[in-house]
Amino acid sequence: MSNKVHLGHTARKRFGQNFLTDEGVISSIVGAISPDNDHVMVEIGPGLGALTEPVADIIDNLTVVELDRDLVERLKAHPILKDKLTIHQGDALQFDFTQLAQDGKKMKVFGNLPYNISTPLMFHLFEFAEQIETMHFMLQKEVVLRLSASPGCKAYGRLTVMAQYYCQVVPVLEVPPGCFTPPPKVDSAVVRLLPYEQKPWPCKDVTVMRHLCTTAFNMRRKTLRNNLKGMLDDDDFAALGIDSTLRPEQISVEQYVAMANLFIDKSTAN
Ligand code: SAM
């Protein structure tokens, strides 16, 4: 096992533990998060506190969700942090973030996320997008490229469409493996997700939109017409003005919403 010991803690691979150790990167991320007392500040996976300590320095209260019981015990015993933290031990994927909402205060959520759960966690957090002001996450660089991709790019896919449906996506910073202990095998990057107050293209039922995107991107090399057979026909594509011979990665978020809304209308009319 090559899992390095940092501050007396052996990094657990199964919890995706790569601890941030580069002070310059840490302060850039804290600057990007812009912590304040006007929002409910929430960190996912505080670990040994690399981001937790400098953020808690600036504000009165910080809520954290951490899966690793040993790390939770360390945080509870931390001489400075223990008075400022509200600690939830558990899986962020199962966590109901609405319980953190306070009257009139939206959340600012951040974290250096375990890479093995980052995509499902994004999807989980999108469900709470209306209560979130900003999200800042350290992710695999490849995932940040997918989140921020434009139609026509190789990285453009289901995650892109769903993320850009809910949020404006802004890549913030690239972070090489040497900034972590132990270093991950891949490059990382920080992304800022800004949930829309008013969605530019609202969908009547986001579950349908998710299903349609999954179906459309099932076979990336096939045409839209082929992948969405059974959901939309030639007349539907014509009514929407969408060329059904295009591949799924050539279709904009707005067009995915239009397709989902038409499918919903058709289903409710029957
Ligand atoms: N924030 C620390 C840092 O930047 O050094 C730790 C980052 S480490 C990449 C990911 C952290 O998320 C670890 O502390 C790990 O135990 C925690 N974690 C892993 N899976 C989790 C889950 N499902 N829910 C909440 N926390 C999780």
Side-chain angles (χ1 to χ4, degrees), residues 4 32 57 142 200:
K4 277 198 195 167
D57 254 358
E142 183 223 309

Side-chain angles (χ1 to χ4, degrees), residues 15-20 43 45-47 66-67 71 90-92 112 114 117:
F15 291 156
Q17 291 178 352
N18 300 99
F19 299 105
L20 252 176
E43 180 175 10
E66 171 60 61
L67 184 58
L71 292 177
D91 184 353
N112 169 15
I117 63 156

Side-chain angles (χ1 to χ4, degrees), residues 83-96:
D83 296 328
K84 288 206 171 181
L85 296 188
T86 305
I87 304 174
H88 295 269
Q89 190 276 319
D91 184 353
L93 283 173
Q94 308 293 331
F95 192 75
D96 178 6

